[in-house]
C-alpha cells in the first residue's frame, strides 16, 4: 500500500458475498477494473481464506477484514496465521494497547500492513453512549484517540470514516494510512452506514484507500460502477493536489 498510488489502485472492493462462487463471479466481472479485494467475516467463514490464497497467487491484493479483538495470545497467533497467507493488510480493533502490541508481535517481519479499526462507520454518538462511552466524547474524538494509540504501537494505519479523514490526517501526519469505508456517491442511498461521505471528499481530505461494497457489487453493471468510483477518486486526488500546491 502506497500513499502515491494511482486512482484505480486506491479502490478496495468488498467481497461481502455469501459464497466463494459469488465472489469469484464478481472478481471475473471486475477483472481489469479492480485489483484489490476485501474479504470479511461472512466470506471468510464460507471458504474465503482459500479464495484469498487464489487471489494472492494471481497477483491481486487482499485486505483481510476480520477485526480481531481477544486476549493478547490469541490475537498474536491469529495475526501470525493471517500474515502467513500473504495478505496485504489486516484489521484489528484498536481499543487498547495490549491488543495492538499483540498484533504487532504476531505480524513479525512480514509485509502485512496492520490497520486499527477506530469507530465503525455504522455507529454515531448515541451508539457510543449506549456502549458506556460518554462525557461528551464524539466519534471523531474517539477515532483520533484510537489512531494515536495505534500509531504509537507500530500500526501502519487505521480504518476510519471519511468524516474524520481531514482531522485525522492533521494528527497522524503523512505516512500513516487512512482506509475509509462508508463511501457512497452523492446520489446513492447510505444503507446501514451512518457516517458516510463521497469518494471525492474522503480522498481530498486525506484518505488513502476507499472500501466500497454494495454500490458496486449490487449494481447492474459492477464494472461501470467501479469506474465511476475510480473517476471520483481521481477527482479527489486532483483536488488534494491543487490544495497542496496552493498551500506551498
Amino acid at each position: 500500500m502506497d500513499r502515491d498510488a494511482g486512482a484505480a489502485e486506491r479502490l478496495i472492493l468488498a467481497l461481502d458475498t455469501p459464497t466463494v462462487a459469488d465472489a469469484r463471479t464478481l472478481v471475473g466481472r471486475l477483472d481489469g477494473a479492480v485489483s484489490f479485494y476485501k474479504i470479511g467475516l461472512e466470506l471468510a467463514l464460507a471458504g474465503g481464506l482459500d479464495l484469498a490464497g487464489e487471489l494472492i497467487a494471481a497477483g491481486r491484493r487482499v485486505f483481510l477484514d476480520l477485526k480481531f479483538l481477544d486476549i493478547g495470545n490469541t490475537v498474536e497467533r491469529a495475526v501470525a496465521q493471517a500474515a502467513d497467507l500473504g495478505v496485504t493488510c489486516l484489521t484489528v480493533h484498536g481499543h487498547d494497547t495490549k491488543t495492538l502490541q499483540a498484533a504487532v508481535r504476531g505480524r513479525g517481519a512480514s509485509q502485512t500492513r496492520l490497520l486499527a479499526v477506530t469507530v465503525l462507520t455504522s455507529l454515531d454518538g448515541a451508539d457510543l453512549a449506549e456502549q458506556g462511552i460518554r462525557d461528551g466524547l464524539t466519534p471523531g474524538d474517539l477515532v483520533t484517540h484510537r489512531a494515536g494509540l495505534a500509531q504509537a504501537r507500530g500500526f501502519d494505519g487505521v480504518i476510519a470514516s471519511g468524516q474524520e479523514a481531514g482531522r485525522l490526517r492533521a494528527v497522524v501526519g503523512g505516512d500513516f494510512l487512512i482506509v475509509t469505508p462508508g463511501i457512497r456517491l452523492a446520489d446513492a442511498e447510505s444503507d446501514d452506514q451512518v457516517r458516510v461521505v463521497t469518494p471525492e471528499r474522503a480522498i481530498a481530505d486525506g484518505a488513502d484507500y476507499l472500501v466500497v461494497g454494495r454500490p458496486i457489487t449490487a449494481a447492474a453493471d459492477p464494472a461501470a460502477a467501479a469506474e465511476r468510483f475510480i473517476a471520483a477518486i481521481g477527482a479527489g486526488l486532483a483536488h488534494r493536489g491543487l490544495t497542496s500546491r496552493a498551500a506551498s
Side-chain angles (χ1 to χ4, degrees):
M1 299 176 79
D2 182 359
R3 290 209 71 226
D4 295 322
E9 297 172 282
R10 293 173 184 269
L11 175 63
I12 303 174
L13 182 75
L15 292 174
D16 295 331
T17 63
T19 70
V20 169
D22 291 336
R24 285 199 184 102
T25 298
L26 276 171
V27 171
R29 294 185 69 181
L30 289 160
D31 187 40
V34 177
S35 62
F36 204 162
Y37 294 93
K38 179 182 84 75
I39 293 177
L41 289 169
E42 179 183 18
L43 187 58
L45 292 172
L49 297 184
D50 289 336
L51 176 63
E54 293 174 20
L55 291 171
I56 293 166
R60 297 182 175 95
R61 291 172 295 167
V62 171
F63 166 18
L64 194 57
D65 185 24
L66 299 184
K67 300 182 179 71
F68 292 141
L69 179 61
D70 210 308
I71 64 170
N73 187 58
T74 299
V75 169
E76 181 176 348
R77 293 185 179 190
V79 169
Q81 293 280 6
D84 283 345
L85 290 173
V87 297
T88 298
C89 51
L90 171 72
T91 49
V92 176
H93 272 291
H95 290 187
D96 62 274
T97 293
K98 289 179 180 178
T99 301
L100 296 167
Q101 290 177 328
V104 170
R105 290 195 302 271
R107 187 258 307 273
S110 81
Q111 296 301 306
T112 296
R113 302 292 188 94
L114 293 175
L115 304 175
V117 178
T118 54
V119 177
L120 296 176
T121 51
S122 60
L123 303 181
D124 60 17
D127 297 309
L128 297 185
E130 185 178 59
Q131 292 177 11
I133 301 169
R134 298 189 176 90
D135 297 327
L137 198 68
T138 68
D141 295 333
L142 191 55
V143 166
T144 302
H145 172 71
R146 288 176 173 170
L149 284 180
Q151 188 175 37
R153 270 57 185 189
F155 266 55
D156 302 287
V158 291
I159 307 293
S161 163
Q163 291 186 7
E164 289 97 38
R167 171 181 177 177
L168 198 50
R169 181 58 66 203
V171 172
V172 300
D175 296 328
F176 199 61
L177 295 168
I178 300 175
V179 179
T180 299
I183 298 296
R184 295 293 186 271
L185 296 171
D187 58 354
E189 296 291 330
S190 61
D191 299 309
D192 56 357
Q193 301 287 357
V194 175
R195 300 187 343 274
V196 300
V197 297
T198 65
E200 294 96 330
R201 178 184 163 189
I203 291 292
D205 283 353
D208 296 299
Y209 290 82
L210 305 184
V211 182
V212 182
R214 287 164 288 185
I216 294 176
T217 61
D221 186 342
E227 293 296 348
R228 288 187 68 194
F229 276 92
I230 291 168
I233 291 170
L237 288 171
H239 185 271
R240 183 195 292 181
L242 288 171
T243 302
S244 298
R245 286 194 291 274
S248 63

